[in-house]
Amino acid sequence: MAIKGTSKWPLVIFSHGLFGSRIAYSQFCGRVASEGYVVLAIEHRDGTGSSVKIRSANQKIRTLTYTRYDEVGWGKHTKPAGLYPFRAEQLVFRTNEVYEIYHSFKALVDGDAGNIRNEISESGHDLSQWKGKIDVDDLHLTGHSFGGATVFAFLRHPPPEPFEPLPLKSVLALDPWVGPVPSPGPIPATVFEKPSLAVINSEGFTLWEEHFQLLKDIVSHWKTEAGASATLVTIGTLCVVGALWMEGILAVLISLFLVKSTHKDFSDFPVAFPFTAKRALKMANIIHTLATSFFRNSLEAELGKEPRKGEEVWQDKIGKKHLVGKFGEVLVHS
């Protein structure tokens, strides 16, 4: 069913994190799709996926597993000086893949696939029934962790030859790892029409002070340089105010079992374990609500239901820091 008030399905492209895959985010992608979006989950071939099958021009298939920096043979090419430059090279590769998957998918649904070989057409599905039902001009880009860095890299670079600029409406970064992203963040490429930006962070990444400052600089830079909407929020922690008086072993146990948002919450991994599944599904609901509100341009209204601004941090007796709040609460950063 298309989104209410429209006759077509908008398009979302999703980029996975390091050691991830297209199927490691079924909770997020499936929930977004259930709201009337077509979601394309990329399986990146840049060596950051857990395992991906690659088909060559002569139709031979090989498996590429996660590739470490010291495992790459550069041949005549210049070897990047360190991990971050290596990751930056992978971001360029990933950005090109975003263009490739968009234009390939557009050709498929337009009935102009040419010689493109793909599992969908080979499975016998009639792609003609999709024609005219997907709004490829209503495009949203999102990704988790290194996939979040990918969407920032995408904003920074104009399209590679021979591709045209994509009709990007919004960009959503889920707990992005911004180490390889050049400071102060994406310089708005003139080919884009200033898409809105939102970042949803976990508590762990927000309390990572040096990294969080880089992220805030990116969001601020997008507001000032692109002149576009940019929102940064952190989700979910269990109220710890009542534990302030606790000391010793009890404080250690409390800090270990606090229910709070983590970097893994954006993926399927916490759902797979019995002891974390119930909590993980609740967190998935929160992420889903924020994401779809953003895609529908109603995030501000959603956040205004229970506004929470400012950051209150508690450091327990063993030196571990926590955000003070309650599970599922959304903290809006200025």
Side-chain angles (χ1 to χ4, degrees):
M1 180 178 67
I3 293 176
K4 186 177 180 180
T6 70
S7 59
K8 296 183 179 181
W9 299 312
L11 185 60
V12 175
I13 297 179
F14 178 85
S15 173
H16 65 72
L18 294 175
F19 212 75
S21 71
R22 73 184 190 281
I23 60 174
Y25 297 86
S26 65
Q27 285 293 320
F28 177 79
C29 293
R31 288 163 188 256
V32 172
S34 73
E35 297 285 352
Y37 294 84
V38 170
V39 182
L40 303 181
I42 302 176
E43 190 135 87
H44 288 290
R45 299 169 295 173
D46 62 335
T48 59
S50 54
S51 178
V52 57
K53 291 187 180 298
I54 300 175
R55 176 184 288 168
S56 65
N58 61 5
Q59 304 308 313
K60 289 187 176 181
I61 297 178
R62 66 183 178 92
T63 300
L64 175 66
T65 56
Y66 184 85
T67 307
R68 297 194 302 270
Y69 170 67
D70 56 3
E71 295 176 331
V72 178
W74 296 94
K76 296 180 180 180
H77 300 281
T78 302
K79 184 178 182 179
L83 180 60
Y84 280 7
F86 172 56
R87 294 299 188 207
E89 293 281 346
Q90 290 177 312
L91 289 175
V92 174
F93 190 104
R94 281 169 160 245
T95 296
N96 291 348
E97 286 186 314
V98 172
Y99 283 96
E100 289 176 359
I101 192 173
Y102 173 83
H103 285 284
S104 295
F105 184 74
K106 183 176 184 299
L108 287 174
V109 299
D110 286 347
D112 186 26
N115 294 322
I116 296 175
R117 295 178 61 87
N118 60 89
E119 293 180 3
I120 296 178
S121 61
E122 292 174 358
S123 66
H125 290 288
D126 181 12
L127 291 175
S128 64
Q129 62 184 325
W130 288 18
K131 191 171 183 177
K133 294 184 178 180
I134 301 173
D135 190 352
V136 294
D137 292 324
D138 188 358
L139 175 64
H140 308 268
L141 181 60
T142 183
H144 171 242
S145 192
F146 197 52
T150 301
V151 304
F152 290 145
F154 183 91
L155 292 174
R156 181 181 178 87
H157 297 287
E161 295 288 343
F163 298 117
E164 297 293 326
L166 302 190
L168 193 59
K169 296 297 188 293
S170 70
V171 176
L172 174 63
L174 305 173
D175 226 17
W177 175 48
V178 299
V181 178
S183 180
I187 300 170
T190 56
V191 296
F192 297 118
E193 297 181 1
K194 299 180 181 180
S196 55
L197 170 68
V199 179
I200 304 176
N201 239 28
S202 69
E203 178 179 336
F205 267 37
T206 293
L207 292 176
W208 182 5
E209 294 179 6
E210 181 180 1
H211 184 270
F212 188 58
Q213 185 58 53
L214 293 174
L215 181 59
K216 288 198 294 185
D217 290 344
I218 288 175
V219 175
S220 176
H221 187 66
W222 189 250
K223 285 181 179 179
T224 56
E225 295 300 318
S229 169
T231 305
L232 171 59
V233 302
T234 301
I235 56 171
T237 181
L238 183 67
C239 183
V240 296
V241 177
L244 291 174
W245 58 272
M246 298 180 180
E247 298 185 16
I249 294 177
L250 185 56
V252 174
L253 292 174
I254 287 292
S255 67
L256 288 175
F257 291 99
L258 283 174
V259 179
K260 53 189 177 182
S261 59
T262 69
H263 191 60
K264 297 188 294 292
D265 283 327
F266 298 87
S267 71
D268 291 348
F269 295 112
V271 181
F273 299 97
F275 295 109
T276 60
K278 184 176 181 180
R279 172 204 156 278
L281 288 172
K282 290 181 179 179
M283 188 63 67
N285 286 336
I286 298 167
I287 296 169
H288 165 71
T289 298
L290 293 174
T292 52
S293 296
F294 173 64
F295 293 149
R296 292 176 177 173
N297 199 29
S298 60
L299 179 59
E300 185 176 351
E302 179 65 34
L303 295 174
K305 293 178 181 179
E306 295 183 14
R308 160 85 190 277
K309 295 186 177 182
E311 302 161 21
E312 185 178 356
V313 179
W314 167 55
Q315 182 168 314
D316 61 28
K317 298 298 181 179
I318 60 173
K320 191 171 183 179
K321 293 183 178 180
H322 311 271
L323 287 176
V324 177
K326 61 183 180 180
F327 179 77
E329 190 172 40
V330 180
L331 171 62
V332 182
H333 303 277
S334 57

